[in-house]
Every structure is written in structure tokens, then in C-alpha cells.
């Protein structure tokens, strides 16, 4: 959205005019007392700057809404990917534990008769 030469209001600096903008920065000229100030674009329009033209203000609000929605979707994708990674790690740990438990389970050994059992119970061979 192009807002160069548009009037804006700032809470502290008062009214100013946008003298330049790019995808990341908007520069506003205020009174001689404050001079030119640079702001993040479009984030400054969330809390610091307000466009004086109502049509431009609505357009800015829509643009910020689209950016927020895109950020929300990106965060949602990142969260889902993190959940998938955690689940895969959890499954791998559980599988490793199961495999380890199977290796540790001793095979049933054939029991050898004791001396007592061989001698008839009195312990003499």
C-alpha cells in the first residue's frame, strides 16, 4: 500500500507527512521540533501512527489484518511440525525402550538338579 505524501498522526510528535516508504520502513516528517522519524512499516500503524485519511486507514487495517493472518498460519504450521517432531521422537524413544527390554529379558534356563535332589534329600552324594 502506498502512503507517501499522506498525513499521519503520532501520539507524541503530532501531525506529520509520510515522505518515503519501502517494504520495511516509513519515514515521516514532523514539525521542526521533531524532524524526520523512521518507523517500521507497517507495524508502526498498529500502535504509533494513524493515517488521517479514512480510506487509507481502512486499507492499512486490512493490510495489517492480512499480515497477522499470514503470521498466524505460519505459526500454526510451525506448531504442527514441532508436534510431529515431538511425536516421532517420543515414538523412537518408546521403540528403543521396548527393544532394550526385549534384549534384557533372560531366556529361561534349564534348571539343573541340585545335589540335595540327586542324593535323595539328605545332602550326601
Amino acid at each position: 500500500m502506498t502512503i507517501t505524501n499522506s498525513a499521519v498522526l503520532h501520539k507524541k510528535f503530532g501531525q506529520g507527512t509520510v515522505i518515503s516508504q519501502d517494504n520495511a520502513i516509513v519515514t515521516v516528517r514532523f514539525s521542526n521540533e521533531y524532524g524526520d522519524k523512521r518507523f517500521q512499516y507497517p507495524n508502526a500503524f498498529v500502535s504509533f501512527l494513524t493515517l488521517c485519511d479514512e480510506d487509507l486507514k481502512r486499507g492499512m487495517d486490512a493490510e495489517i489484518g492480512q499480515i497477522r493472518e499470514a503470521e498466524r498460519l505460519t505459526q500454526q504450521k510451525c506448531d504442527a511440525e514441532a508436534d510431529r517432531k515431538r511425536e516421532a521422537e517420543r515414538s523412537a524413544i518408546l521403540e528403543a525402550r521396548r527393544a532394550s527390554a526385549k534384549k534384557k529379558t533372560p531366556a529361561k534356563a534349564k534348571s539343573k538338579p541340585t545335589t540335595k535332589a540327586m542324593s535323595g534329600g539328605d545332602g550326601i552324594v
Side-chain angles (χ1 to χ4, degrees), residues 59-124:
M60 182 63 67
D61 291 345
E63 185 174 323
I64 291 169
Q66 290 170 348
I67 291 168
R68 285 183 175 167
E69 179 64 12
E71 289 171 347
R72 185 189 68 76
L73 291 173
T74 299
Q75 184 63 49
Q76 194 174 37
K77 287 177 184 177
C78 289
D79 291 347
E81 181 61 26
D83 288 346
R84 279 192 292 276
K85 284 182 179 179
R86 276 193 297 275
E87 182 59 29
E89 288 170 0
R90 182 177 118 7
S91 294
I93 290 169
L94 289 174
E95 186 58 35
R97 286 181 183 166
R98 285 186 198 114
S100 177
K102 286 180 183 178
K103 289 179 184 177
K104 289 181 182 179
T105 303
K108 292 192 176 186
K110 294 181 182 178
S111 49
K112 296 181 181 178
T114 62
T115 309
K116 195 174 192 177
M118 292 175 30
S119 64
D122 59 4
I124 302 172

Side-chain angles (χ1 to χ4, degrees), residues 26-47:
V26 61
T27 303
V28 179
R29 178 161 290 149
F30 294 100
S31 66
N32 289 337
E33 180 181 358
Y34 298 111
D36 295 353
K37 303 290 182 190
R38 294 169 39 120
F39 300 92
Q40 286 185 338
Y41 179 81
N43 296 343
F45 290 92
V46 173
S47 56

